[in-house]
Amino acid sequence: MKLSQRVLTMPESSIRKLTPLADEAKKAGRRIYHLNIGQPDLPTPKSFFAGINNFREEVLSYCPSPGLPKLLEVFSAYYQHRGIPLTPRELLVTNGGSEALLFSFMAVCDHGDEILVPEPFYTSYSLTASALGIKLCPVPTFVEDGFHLPERGEFVKRITPRTRALLVTNPGNPTGTVYTQEEMKMLAGLVQDFDLFLIADEVYREFVYEGEYKSFLEFPSLWERVLLVDSISKRFSACGARIGSLACKNPKVMRQLYKLAETRLAVAMVEQMGAIALAETPAEYFREANLEYKRRRDVSIAKLQSIPGVYCRRPEGAFYILARLPVVDAEEFAAWLLRDFNLDGASVMLAPANGFYLTPERGRDEVRIAYVLREEDLANAFTILGEGLRVYNSTVASPVVSS
Ligand SMILES: Cc1ncc(COP(=O)(O)O)c(C=O)c1O
C-alpha cells in the first residue's frame, strides 16, 4: 500500500512536538503555564448551553447544507449590526473557521495555484494548502515593524500567472497585528488591480484594543472578491462547538461554495442550536472580554519588555504576542524549559514561532505567546521565562543573540 504524497509531504506542527515534554513534566509533578495555546479561557456564554438544552426533537436529523436558516439569520443580524451588509443567502455555516478556510482555498485554487499571504501566519494555512497542492507565497513582515505590512511592491513582485488570491488575517494570529486603514486600502487596490480574490480571515474581529477596526467587507468595491472566514470559536470562547461561517457577496462564488458544503451534508445540529442562542449575549460580554484581554496584554508586554534581550512590540488585537528571544533556537529553548528547568516546581510552555513561517530560518529565535491565562498566572509565567532565559544563556546555550 502506498500513502499519498499529499499527506506524506504535509508539515508537522512544531507545537505538537513539545506536547510529550509538557506531559512528562506534569507527570513529574511540575506545574506548566501554557502560553502556547490559542484558545480563549473565558467562560462560554451560558446562553450557548441553554440553547443546547432546549433541543427537544426526537430525531437528530441532518440540517440543510448551508446551515440552519435561523442561525444564518442570526449571523446576518450580527454582521449588519457591525456594519457588514450580509444577508443569510450570502452566508454558509461551516465546521469552524477551519472548514471555511478549506472551502475558500478549494473554491479559488486548482492544484499548483498560488496564494499570497503575509508571513508569519496561522500554521493551519500551510497544512490546508499543502493538502490541496496549493502554493502559499509568503510576503515577509517583521517584529521591528510590529508585523505591519511592507509596501505594495513587495506583494506585486510575488504575483505570478498562477496567483489566485491574497489571504489576510486581521487581527493577526500569531502577530496580534491589526491593519491600519491605509494598509487595508493598499491591499484592496492590489486585489482589484490584479483581479485576485481576497480571503479575509477575521475570526479575531471582536478583540481589538487600539485603533479603528474595519472588515474587508466594509469596502463595497471588494464585494465581488472577498471570501470572509469567521468563527464563534474565539468570539464566544466556544472552540469546541466547531461552528464557523463563510460569507461572500458574489452569487457566482456562493453557488460554488454551496456545492462544497453539500459534500459534507451538514454541520452538527445541536451546536447550531447553541450558536443561535448566543444571539442573546449582551454587549457587555464583548466589552468585558476586551477589557480583560487588554489588561492581560499590557501585563504581558510590560513583563516581557523587562526581560533582558527580549524584543516585542505591543500588538493591537487578538490575544497573541510574537516575541524575539535572546536565543539562537527558540524550539530548543522551549523544549529545555519543559525538560530541564523549573522555578519552584513550575515552568512554561511556549509556541516556537518557526512553525508560523514558511521561509526557512525565519522565526527561529521567536516564540508566540498567547495571553490566555489570568493576570497573576501570566505574571508568574513571565518571571519563570525571564529566569529560564538567564539560566539557559549562562549554562546551556552556545552563542547568544543580543538585541
Ligand atoms: C487565524 C485563525 N483562523 C481560523 C482559525 C480556526 O478556528 P476554528 O476552526 O476553531 O473556528 C483559527 C484558530 O486558531 C485561527 O487562529
Side-chain angles (χ1 to χ4, degrees):
M1 283 189 300
K2 206 165 152 232
L3 284 165
S4 70
Q5 285 306 306
R6 173 178 301 119
V7 288
L8 292 175
T9 55
M10 272 174 80
E12 267 191 9
S13 153
S14 57
I15 301 170
R16 217 170 308 138
K17 277 191 244 162
L18 295 178
T19 306
L21 296 180
D23 292 343
E24 281 298 310
K26 284 184 214 165
K27 241 189 262 162
R30 263 178 269 150
R31 171 167 189 185
I32 301 297
Y33 290 99
H34 283 274
L35 295 175
N36 60 304
I37 296 177
Q39 153 162 302
D41 62 328
L42 302 183
T44 310
K46 293 209 171 20
S47 54
F48 180 84
F49 302 105
I52 284 180
N53 288 334
N54 284 340
F55 184 75
R56 293 282 176 268
E57 305 294 323
E58 288 194 356
V59 176
L60 196 49
S61 57
Y62 289 123
C63 298
S65 298
L68 284 177
K70 182 68 193 162
L71 183 54
L72 292 168
E73 273 170 35
V74 163
F75 281 163
S76 163
Y78 161 78
Y79 288 117
Q80 306 268 358
H81 180 71
R82 294 273 330 201
I84 306 168
L86 282 167
T87 66
R89 289 285 303 160
E90 293 164 338
L91 280 155
L92 269 183
V93 179
T94 54
N95 287 293
S98 307
E99 192 183 56
L101 283 165
L102 176 71
F103 287 174
S104 313
F105 286 17
M106 289 172 91
V108 307
C109 284
D110 286 312
H111 195 276
D113 284 342
E114 298 173 7
I115 297 180
L116 286 178
V117 56
E119 177 189 60
F121 53 81
Y122 172 48
T123 20
S124 280
Y125 297 163
S126 296
L127 304 180
T128 307
S130 161
L132 295 172
I134 295 167
K135 185 174 167 208
L136 290 183
C137 301
V139 180
T141 67
F142 298 91
V143 66
E144 290 82 1
D145 306 322
F147 298 102
H148 279 278
L149 297 176
E151 57 183 28
R152 177 181 152 115
E154 290 296 313
F155 289 84
V156 172
K157 72 184 190 200
R158 289 173 172 84
I159 294 176
T160 76
R162 303 280 330 231
T163 310
R164 295 284 172 269
L166 169 70
L167 167 62
V168 283
T169 327
N170 193 37
N173 173 13
T175 59
T177 304
V178 178
Y179 295 140
T180 62
Q181 301 303 296
E182 285 66 37
E183 287 172 299
M184 293 183 79
K185 281 185 198 145
M186 184 271 282
L187 295 179
L190 184 84
V191 290
Q192 285 173 287
D193 292 349
F194 289 89
D195 201 19
L196 304 175
F197 283 103
L198 175 54
I199 303 173
D201 182 340
E202 299 184 356
V203 304
Y204 295 96
R205 177 183 313 102
E206 296 298 338
F207 305 97
V208 175
Y209 317 115
E210 246 120 43
E212 192 196 342
Y213 175 78
K214 248 190 174 179
S215 165
F216 276 101
L217 269 184
E218 285 177 68
F219 290 79
S221 59
L222 293 181
W223 281 356
E224 61 173 341
R225 60 183 77 246
V226 169
L227 287 99
L228 180 71
V229 171
D230 216 333
S231 171
I232 68 165
S233 290
K234 320 285 167 174
R235 188 153 92 223
F236 292 105
S237 196
C239 296
R242 310 309 307 133
I243 300 288
S245 63
L246 179 55
C248 186
K249 291 191 71 66
N250 182 333
K252 281 195 202 136
V253 177
M254 229 27 223
R255 258 200 306 283
Q256 306 311 318
L257 295 174
Y258 279 142
K259 290 199 281 191
L260 290 172
E262 277 160 17
T263 62
R264 50 68 167 143
L265 303 184
V267 174
M269 158 88 81
V270 177
E271 281 76 3
Q272 289 193 70
M273 301 280 293
I276 289 169
L278 283 173
E280 289 148 35
T281 311
E284 295 89 75
Y285 177 84
F286 296 118
R287 261 200 300 278
E288 278 166 24
N290 251 268
L291 280 176
E292 177 65 27
Y293 283 119
K294 186 169 191 279
R295 270 197 300 271
R296 293 175 181 190
R297 177 200 64 171
D298 293 342
V299 168
S300 305
I301 287 289
K303 283 288 237 173
L304 272 170
Q305 290 182 338
S306 71
I307 301 174
V310 172
Y311 184 86
C312 59
R313 296 276 298 266
R314 197 164 62 151
E316 303 89 2
F319 29 72
Y320 304 110
I321 298 167
L322 204 71
R324 189 165 62 210
L325 302 185
V327 296
V328 172
D329 189 324
E331 191 174 325
E332 250 175 58
F333 171 64
W336 176 85
L337 278 176
L338 293 169
R339 203 180 42 227
D340 301 318
F341 181 76
N342 74 86
L343 186 67
D344 301 328
S347 194
V348 292
M349 184 166 177
L350 305 166
N354 60 342
F356 300 103
Y357 290 87
L358 260 189
T359 309
E361 291 302 305
R362 283 215 64 204
R364 246 186 103 198
D365 57 354
E366 294 171 358
V367 289
R368 186 192 72 177
I369 286 160
Y371 44 93
V372 290
L373 300 177
R374 289 174 312 172
E375 272 177 67
E376 70 222 58
D377 289 339
L378 282 173
N380 288 340
F382 289 119
T383 302
I384 295 167
L385 175 61
E387 186 54 16
L389 279 168
R390 194 188 64 73
V391 173
Y392 185 76
N393 279 330
S394 57
T395 60
V396 184
S398 26
V400 175
V401 181
S402 65
S403 62

